[in-house]
Amino acid sequence: MVSMKDISAACGVSIATVSKALNDHNDIGSETKQHIKQVAKEMGYSPNSAAKALKTNRTYNIGVLFSDDNHSGLTHDYFAFVLDSFKSTAERKGYDITFINVSKSRDRRMSYLEHSRYRGFDGVAVVCVNFYDPEVEELVRSEIPVVTVDHVFNNRISIVSDNVKGMRDLLTYIYKQGHRRVAYIHGVDSSVTRSRLSSFYHTAEELGLYVPDEYVLEAPYRDAAAARIMTEKLLDLRTPPTCICYPDDFSAFGGMNAIMERGLKIPEDVSVAGYDGIRAGMHIEPQLTTIKQDTARLGRCAAEKLISLIERPKTTIIEQVVVEGKVFEGRSVGKR
Amino acid sequence: MVSMKDISAACGVSIATVSKALNDHNDIGSETKQHIKQVAKEMGYSPNSAAKALKTNRTYNIGVLFSDDNHSGLTHDYFAFVLDSFKSTAERKGYDITFINVSKSRDRRMSYLEHSRYRGFDGVAVVCVNFYDPEVEELVRSEIPVVTVDHVFNNRISIVSDNVKGMRDLLTYIYKQGHRRVAYIHGVDSSVTRSRLSSFYHTAEELGLYVPDEYVLEAPYRDAAAARIMTEKLLDLRTPPTCICYPDDFSAFGGMNAIMERGLKIPEDVSVAGYDGIRAGMHIEPQLTTIKQDTARLGRCAAEKLISLIERPKTTIIEQVVVEGKVFEGRSVGKR
DNA sequence: GTAAAACACTTAATCGTTTTCGTGTTTCTA
DNA sequence: TAGAAACACGAAAACGATTAAGTGTTTTAC
């Protein structure tokens, strides 16, 4: 590995001069500078991020905390899309991204914060984790710049999808299609769930839609099997709903299967709505009506905000950025 | 940030002693060692990976090259699963993973190899990229330990799914269900495609299955729209196939839609088989018959092999590890 | 023509670790 | 009891970069 020392020797100048030449400082003569750059290229100089980081305290590396209770991890469609967008935005701005370890390593495990300090991340993005984990708390409250996605912490930047508007739009759409008996299987408790649920109730009231208690059930996110069971409960009611909303598209798939297995038709007998707008939903029969999240924007916003916070901490506004999704009109919600 | 220097001052010993104590060297007295560790904990010592890396030339960081022509990136279901497994295996063994930049950064872009050297990756995994990219070549031929997934390079370790056996098993299953007119829409040229295609022909011959040329078409991977078009071509033939195999599950979704839109029933009129076994396939109607790849094993193997190559270069066998998938019997391939 | 300013480098300290040699005590060994 | 091990620790160099301060030379200004 050829270092600045080698170049300085080859060029007959000091290491400092090499450093400055390569970094385009303006107290180096232009022909010296050109020559040094030339030689560096010829010798195949490769900079050493560790040395640079040690000296400058900047790594141009962003940590990403990415995991959840179900251990869906990277295979979580919605968050994978967000992460993908986050990644390319960060890369375009000159940052690399490294995952913050979530599994216990060979020897003593580090906490998220310890790990972040160890790697010297310039900033951290928290996505798709259990936000009530004390280690997450510790990380978020630390001195390291942080953005969170889909969860609001006090006095931190967060990027959240507009669950209130999303649920309102979805329910309104369903209502306009003529449905008057709408059930909602919501996810387990979290800020996302709470936003959607209260929006559901609030919108129902606005629309003059009566929602009996037995129409509102809970199931874990992305658990097709659980959604099945809940769906069957709903279908067993004396007056079953004409439309069922699910916590996410995957759950909707599970629900659809339960419905079809009873010989019922979608959307003729029962309508179904998902949430998230994952790709597979477009390809199934009938095409799933859902809220299409703007994952590209979520990821991009998160990266931009975080990098802004890193590079211009004073002028970066600490705020919650809300990203709207929109109703994707498939064919799983029919007219009544 | 409290460093070894701070601890050495607090304990009245030299920095060297602190380093050795914390690293459990055995030329430090046990009570001194205990005391130093104690103080380190109390003072909230946080180690600095950059300094350590600079000195030891080991980062415990693995680079992952992950991208493709379609820019599916992280949202590529099959590879996301592989990566997820890779990630958790690596983490369990004490390695972090960092993405190798694929987009051009703000200033001059680094090549994959330059980037890897810059970050000092102990090793690199190459997944889901265009393997004919000269930059990939450069990286693979370099001094850095490398494993590749689903592509074989000369004299490098690679983990490949058993496409020959997979295709054979799938076609054999289809044959046993009574199909005699089987079409295959294969992916674009790559080592994976070639294995599957030759296995398809070979197996057909073994089975005594005649495959007319017009039954074999090409479409890009994971392109539902292209699969639609090809499917329609097949359905327009004077003797259309009774079963269509697709390059992957997503393409199969596209094909299924084309079939259903013609009012044909799956599997009564036309049967459909996918490849990969992504989650969504389980949830659609009819459930997709496909080859379920062992993504967990692929990722785990890749990580284990790479880490072995890093830690024990001499004793690690350079080989192609083949991971078998198996037929997932859904309901999209019917009996004839 | 001379002091000051501008220019083009160099020196040397520093970031936080690791690790090779010492070196001074203590404990065996014969 | 003298010499050799064994033990417990320290000094200092090194990893590869950055940067403040210093130095000698040339240009500028009046």
Side-chain angles (χ1 to χ4, degrees):
Chain A
M1 217 84 312
V2 15
S3 70
M4 286 191 174
K5 196 200 290 192
D6 304 311
I7 298 173
S8 81
C11 291
V13 296
S14 74
I15 292 179
T17 305
V18 175
S19 171
K20 292 189 200 168
L22 263 27
N23 289 303
D24 263 330
H25 288 206
N26 50 13
D27 61 341
I28 302 294
S30 66
E31 71 255 40
T32 319
K33 201 184 275 188
Q34 287 311 312
H35 181 235
I36 289 175
K37 286 183 177 178
Q38 177 66 28
V39 173
K41 183 161 292 179
E42 284 169 10
M43 296 179 69
Y45 166 67
S46 60
N48 182 315
S49 67
K52 174 179 273 189
L54 182 57
K55 194 65 183 118
T56 60
N57 259 323
R58 291 273 275 122
T59 55
Y60 286 92
N61 201 192
I62 290 174
V64 173
L65 187 51
F66 194 81
S67 160
D68 64 358
D69 303 325
N70 318 348
H71 300 292
S72 322
L74 286 168
T75 69
H76 191 304
D77 316 63
Y78 167 60
F79 282 110
F81 270 83
V82 174
L83 181 60
D84 195 60
S85 163
F86 182 91
K87 172 175 179 282
S88 41
T89 306
E91 287 180 349
R92 219 169 312 117
K93 300 208 171 217
Y95 288 79
D96 285 344
I97 78 175
T98 298
F99 288 110
I100 299 178
N101 236 315
V102 288
S103 44
K104 35 243 114 248
S105 68
R106 192 156 36 187
D107 33 43
R108 202 183 60 73
R109 201 186 148 282
M110 286 167 144
S111 78
Y112 299 150
L113 177 57
E114 284 168 345
H115 190 176
S116 301
R117 289 204 177 120
Y118 175 63
R119 288 290 179 194
F121 297 136
D122 293 337
V124 165
V126 182
V127 190
C128 189
V129 301
N130 175 4
F131 286 95
Y132 301 116
D133 184 341
E135 279 198 14
V136 174
E137 281 266 346
E138 181 196 37
L139 177 61
V140 170
R141 308 242 171 274
S142 76
E143 77 287 357
I144 299 179
V146 176
V147 300
T148 58
V149 174
D150 272 348
H151 186 94
V152 178
F153 277 98
N154 200 13
N155 225 35
R156 298 283 132 165
I157 293 175
S158 53
I159 318 294
V160 293
S161 64
D162 194 339
N163 290 292
V164 169
K165 179 171 182 303
M167 200 65 226
R168 172 162 21 98
D169 290 354
L170 184 61
L171 185 52
T172 304
Y173 170 78
I174 291 169
Y175 182 86
K176 284 191 177 158
Q177 293 295 98
H179 291 269
R180 293 299 178 267
R181 300 207 306 272
V182 183
Y184 182 23
I185 301 175
H186 61 80
V188 293
D189 187 52
S190 72
S191 54
V192 169
T193 306
R194 277 195 295 273
S195 302
R196 291 188 195 166
L197 191 54
S198 56
S199 176
F200 179 82
Y201 276 123
H202 187 257
T203 306
E205 201 174 298
E206 275 186 358
L207 295 169
L209 197 65
Y210 170 64
V211 182
D213 282 352
E214 66 258 35
Y215 274 14
V216 177
L217 298 175
E218 176 175 316
Y221 281 103
R222 287 164 45 74
D223 185 336
R228 272 184 108 80
I229 296 172
M230 291 305 158
T231 302
E232 283 168 357
K233 279 196 186 176
L234 289 171
L235 297 178
D236 285 340
L237 292 174
R238 347 157 211 25
T239 47
T242 62
C243 179
I244 307 177
C245 299
Y246 289 86
D248 57 87
D249 295 343
F250 246 92
S251 301
F253 294 165
M256 290 170 88
N257 283 328
I259 293 167
M260 293 186 194
E261 272 173 23
R262 297 211 170 188
L264 298 172
K265 291 226 166 284
I266 303 170
E268 291 79 0
D269 299 316
V270 186
S271 287
V272 164
Y275 209 108
D276 281 354
I278 66 175
R279 252 175 333 201
M282 313 248 150
H283 296 302
I284 61 167
E285 256 310 303
Q287 201 174 34
L288 184 62
T289 294
T290 187
I291 290 291
K292 177 102 186 79
Q293 305 256 30
D294 194 347
T295 50
R297 204 152 116 74
L298 281 160
R300 180 160 40 77
C301 262
E304 283 169 354
K305 266 290 188 182
L306 180 57
I307 291 171
S308 165
L309 184 62
I310 291 168
E311 298 182 347
R312 298 174 299 279
K314 306 295 179 198
T315 64
T316 302
I317 300 165
I318 308 294
E319 62 180 341
Q320 277 78 54
V321 180
V322 174
V323 175
E324 293 185 6
K326 60 172 200 253
V327 174
F328 174 81
E329 210 172 323
R331 288 183 300 275
S332 68
V333 173
K335 279 228 181 280
R336 282 278 151 172
Chain B
M1 216 87 315
V2 18
S3 71
M4 288 192 176
K5 196 198 291 194
D6 303 311
I7 298 174
S8 81
C11 292
V13 296
S14 75
I15 289 181
T17 305
V18 175
S19 172
K20 291 187 202 170
L22 262 27
N23 289 303
D24 262 330
H25 288 207
N26 49 12
D27 60 343
I28 301 294
S30 65
E31 70 258 41
T32 318
K33 201 184 275 186
Q34 287 312 312
H35 180 234
I36 289 175
K37 286 183 177 177
Q38 177 66 29
V39 173
K41 184 162 293 179
E42 285 169 9
M43 297 180 66
Y45 166 67
S46 62
N48 182 315
S49 68
K52 175 179 272 190
L54 182 57
K55 195 65 186 124
T56 60
N57 259 322
R58 289 275 274 122
T59 55
Y60 286 93
N61 199 193
I62 290 175
V64 173
L65 188 52
F66 195 82
S67 159
D68 64 358
D69 302 327
N70 317 348
H71 300 291
S72 321
L74 286 167
T75 68
H76 191 306
D77 316 64
Y78 166 60
F79 281 109
F81 270 82
V82 174
L83 181 60
D84 195 59
S85 163
F86 182 90
K87 172 174 179 281
S88 42
T89 306
E91 287 180 350
R92 218 170 310 118
K93 301 210 171 215
Y95 288 80
D96 286 345
I97 78 174
T98 298
F99 288 110
I100 298 178
N101 235 314
V102 288
S103 43
K104 34 240 113 252
S105 69
R106 194 156 33 185
D107 33 44
R108 204 182 60 73
R109 202 186 147 281
M110 287 168 144
S111 78
Y112 300 150
L113 176 58
E114 283 168 345
H115 190 179
S116 301
R117 289 208 176 116
Y118 175 62
R119 288 289 178 195
F121 296 136
D122 292 336
V124 165
V126 182
V127 189
C128 188
V129 302
N130 175 6
F131 285 95
Y132 300 116
D133 183 341
E135 279 197 16
V136 175
E137 281 265 346
E138 181 196 36
L139 177 61
V140 170
R141 307 242 171 276
S142 77
E143 77 286 357
I144 300 179
V146 176
V147 300
T148 58
V149 174
D150 272 349
H151 186 95
V152 178
F153 277 98
N154 200 16
N155 225 33
R156 299 283 132 164
I157 293 176
S158 53
I159 318 292
V160 292
S161 64
D162 194 340
N163 289 293
V164 171
K165 180 172 179 302
M167 200 67 227
R168 171 160 23 94
D169 289 355
L170 184 61
L171 185 52
T172 304
Y173 169 78
I174 291 168
Y175 182 87
K176 284 190 177 156
Q177 293 294 97
H179 291 268
R180 292 300 177 267
R181 299 207 307 272
V182 183
Y184 181 22
I185 301 174
H186 60 79
V188 292
D189 187 51
S190 72
S191 54
V192 169
T193 306
R194 277 195 294 272
S195 301
R196 291 188 194 166
L197 190 55
S198 57
S199 177
F200 179 83
Y201 276 122
H202 188 256
T203 307
E205 200 174 301
E206 274 184 2
L207 295 169
L209 196 64
Y210 170 64
V211 182
D213 282 350
E214 65 258 35
Y215 275 14
V216 178
L217 298 175
E218 176 175 317
Y221 281 103
R222 289 164 43 74
D223 185 334
R228 271 185 110 80
I229 295 171
M230 292 303 158
T231 302
E232 284 169 356
K233 278 196 185 175
L234 289 171
L235 297 178
D236 285 339
L237 294 174
R238 350 151 207 31
T239 48
T242 62
C243 179
I244 306 176
C245 298
Y246 289 86
D248 57 87
D249 294 344
F250 245 91
S251 300
F253 293 165
M256 291 170 88
N257 284 328
I259 293 167
M260 293 186 194
E261 272 174 23
R262 296 210 172 188
L264 299 171
K265 291 225 166 285
I266 302 170
E268 291 79 1
D269 299 317
V270 185
S271 287
V272 163
Y275 209 108
D276 282 353
I278 66 174
R279 253 176 332 202
M282 313 248 151
H283 297 302
I284 61 168
E285 256 309 305
Q287 202 175 33
L288 184 64
T289 293
T290 187
I291 289 291
K292 177 105 185 81
Q293 304 257 31
D294 194 347
T295 50
R297 204 151 118 73
L298 280 160
R300 180 159 40 76
C301 263
E304 283 167 355
K305 266 292 188 180
L306 179 56
I307 291 171
S308 164
L309 185 62
I310 291 168
E311 297 182 348
R312 298 174 298 279
K314 305 294 178 198
T315 64
T316 302
I317 300 165
I318 309 293
E319 62 181 341
Q320 278 78 55
V321 180
V322 174
V323 175
E324 293 185 4
K326 61 173 200 253
V327 175
F328 174 81
E329 211 173 320
R331 287 183 301 275
S332 68
V333 173
K335 279 229 181 279
R336 283 278 151 169

